[in-house]
Amino acid sequence: MSRTSEWVSLGHPDKMADYISEYILDRYLEVDDKVRYALEVMIKNNKVFLGGEITSTHLFSKDELYNFVKEAIKEIGYDEKYNEKWKDYAFNINDFTLSAEVSIQSTDISMGVNNEGWGDQGIFVGYAENNSETNYMPVDLYYARLLGTYLYNQAKENNLGGLDIKTQITVNDEDKITDVIVAIPCLSDEEKNLIISNINQFLNTPQFNTDNEFRLIVNGTGAYTYHSSIGDCGITGRKLAVDFYGGNSPIGGGSPWTKDPTKADLSLNLLARDVAVKYILTSDNPNLHHIITKTSSCIGKNKCIFETKFYDKNGNVIDKREFESNILPSKLIRDMNLNKPIYTTLCRKGVFSYGI
């Protein structure tokens, strides 16, 4: 049975939105490690919109927020040099506007968080594949991320193609790559052909398991020039399958970005992933292929029940485990250093680059 997963670069408008929110969260955590933060971002054309709730000992001004947004977008790669090449085809760092609608966190929510409860209800899922070479992540998503990261770095560092990139990879029963689909902005056929050559060389290195007859499609419509927020509208939290486990597992109900760790969409998803990985590391079952751990939270409470299922390669359940946890949110946050300004790093490297 084949498996397919997609990855998108930080230059994709949805990830631009995620990254902007995480960048601002990091600035808050530098001055207030107990900030309550839930800030959504939308970016369209050269306009950026912020909306949400922030409670902190220090509130940044709109001018400071504007500078943070500009710094975040330049870190992604949409700087002055990029604008010289792409002009009206991409976001213009020298000409954008910012709108912000931000209030404080509801006292109904803070009442529960202040009493060591979670700041929201939700469902959370951890997945781990029995493969240390892929950092226990699904192989198809791992390959899509490797290829996408390579192309993104080529665009950012060597000016080859644009920053708004999607990679999609399908593997067969033997985890060999059979199909590769790439979307990457190009200004000419010469640039596109050079990228195709680079992709073929990169995929034929030892880190990839290919059958040497994989299908490669680059820019399926034939042309791709308008990109970033010029070609699309970016909104936080729209790339959950990319952020989690691709097409291989159910995912939690909330985005891991745009929120402080009391909201649990990052914290408990990380914990569920940690539980799944630890079961992988301690299992001696030769038929084990992957593990899925599920839990849920109630706003204002901290009790969680973790249910874990062990699967073989055919998707059959071969074992089950269950335990109850009353871990305090503040302890989990401290233990995982989630009250530190680490969020832009996680957004760049991936949620589950954390830890292992």
Side-chain angles (χ1 to χ4, degrees):
M1 184 172 63
S2 64
R3 297 191 287 161
T4 301
S5 286
E6 179 191 48
W7 181 88
V8 300
S9 70
L10 278 183
H12 185 284
D14 290 335
K15 296 310 295 178
M16 291 174 69
D18 288 339
Y19 194 78
I20 290 167
S21 184
E22 297 305 275
Y23 190 93
I24 297 171
L25 174 57
D26 277 352
R27 303 293 76 77
Y28 268 106
L29 286 167
E30 287 171 345
V31 297
D32 178 9
D33 66 0
K34 293 182 174 61
V35 61
R36 304 284 168 75
Y37 182 96
L39 188 69
E40 305 300 335
V41 178
M42 184 172 79
I43 179 168
K44 177 57 188 168
N45 293 328
N46 290 309
K47 298 179 180 179
V48 180
F49 306 87
L50 309 179
E53 302 80 44
I54 301 174
T55 298
S56 176
T57 57
H58 175 85
L59 291 176
F60 292 110
S61 69
K62 185 176 178 181
D63 286 343
E64 288 173 308
L65 291 174
Y66 183 92
N67 288 332
F68 293 156
V69 170
K70 188 170 186 177
E71 291 163 7
I73 293 174
K74 289 181 78 170
E75 280 192 4
I76 292 169
Y78 290 108
D79 54 16
E80 290 82 1
K81 183 179 178 181
Y82 194 85
N83 187 244
E84 289 177 11
K85 174 181 178 179
W86 291 96
K87 298 182 172 59
D88 293 337
Y89 289 121
F91 182 88
N92 187 344
I93 194 64
N94 296 314
D95 183 24
F96 75 93
T97 60
L98 176 69
S99 298
E101 290 291 336
V102 182
S103 61
I104 64 172
Q105 184 184 72
S106 164
T107 55
D108 298 333
I109 297 174
S110 60
M111 178 172 57
V113 177
N114 292 341
N115 288 317
E116 284 289 3
W118 288 108
D120 202 355
Q121 65 189 54
I123 57 174
F124 312 97
V125 180
Y127 175 99
E129 198 156 297
N130 195 10
N131 187 345
S132 61
E133 293 182 1
T134 65
N135 193 27
Y136 308 101
M137 291 294 285
V139 66
D140 46 322
L141 181 62
Y142 177 78
Y143 285 158
R145 178 179 291 279
L146 280 182
L147 175 60
T149 301
Y150 166 74
L151 293 173
Y152 173 71
N153 290 335
Q154 287 285 303
K156 189 175 181 181
E157 298 169 9
N158 299 323
N159 201 27
L160 182 59
L163 295 166
D164 183 357
I165 300 164
K166 286 186 175 184
T167 52
Q168 181 175 302
I169 284 185
T170 300
V171 298
N172 62 18
D173 279 341
E174 299 175 341
D175 287 341
K176 288 187 175 181
I177 296 172
T178 60
D179 295 86
V180 179
I181 300 174
V182 174
I184 181 169
C186 298
L187 283 177
S188 66
D189 287 340
E190 290 78 11
E191 186 172 47
K192 178 180 175 180
N193 289 335
L194 180 55
I195 289 170
I196 290 173
S197 177
N198 284 358
I199 291 171
N200 279 304
Q201 290 181 34
F202 187 68
L203 291 178
N204 280 297
T205 54
Q207 61 187 326
F208 292 97
N209 184 9
T210 66
D211 62 5
N212 296 317
E213 296 180 358
F214 62 85
R215 180 182 67 147
L216 172 62
I217 297 174
V218 176
N219 297 343
T221 68
Y224 179 18
T225 51
Y226 291 99
H227 61 285
S228 72
S229 55
I230 304 302
D232 193 3
C233 178
I235 301 176
T236 45
R238 279 207 305 194
K239 287 294 174 281
L240 294 186
V242 170
D243 294 323
F244 286 87
Y245 307 109
N248 295 275
S249 169
I251 57 178
S255 170
W257 315 121
T258 78
K259 307 178 184 84
D260 74 83
T262 67
K263 304 297 187 297
D265 289 309
L266 177 70
S267 308
L268 286 178
N269 276 313
L270 280 175
L271 183 58
R273 158 74 173 169
D274 188 56
V275 170
V277 170
K278 286 178 177 175
Y279 277 134
I280 286 279
L281 295 174
T282 57
S283 174
D284 58 1
N285 190 324
N287 296 318
L288 177 62
H289 180 263
H290 67 274
I291 285 174
I292 295 177
T293 295
K294 296 180 181 180
T295 190
S296 62
S297 68
C298 174
I299 190 168
K301 310 297 182 184
N302 56 52
K303 175 183 174 181
C304 297
I305 296 174
F306 287 79
E307 179 191 77
T308 301
K309 292 182 179 180
F310 298 59
Y311 296 85
D312 64 17
K313 192 166 187 176
N314 296 317
N316 300 311
V317 177
I318 56 178
D319 197 2
K320 294 181 182 180
R321 306 284 173 83
E322 187 175 295
F323 68 90
E324 181 180 310
S325 171
N326 290 93
I327 187 169
L328 298 179
S330 61
K331 183 180 187 308
L332 179 63
I333 290 167
R334 286 195 308 271
D335 290 349
M336 289 188 164
N337 290 317
L338 299 179
N339 57 349
K340 307 294 183 183
I342 63 170
Y343 291 89
T344 48
T345 299
L346 285 180
C347 200
R348 281 195 304 270
K349 294 184 176 181
V351 181
F352 303 113
S353 62
Y354 179 92
I356 297 172

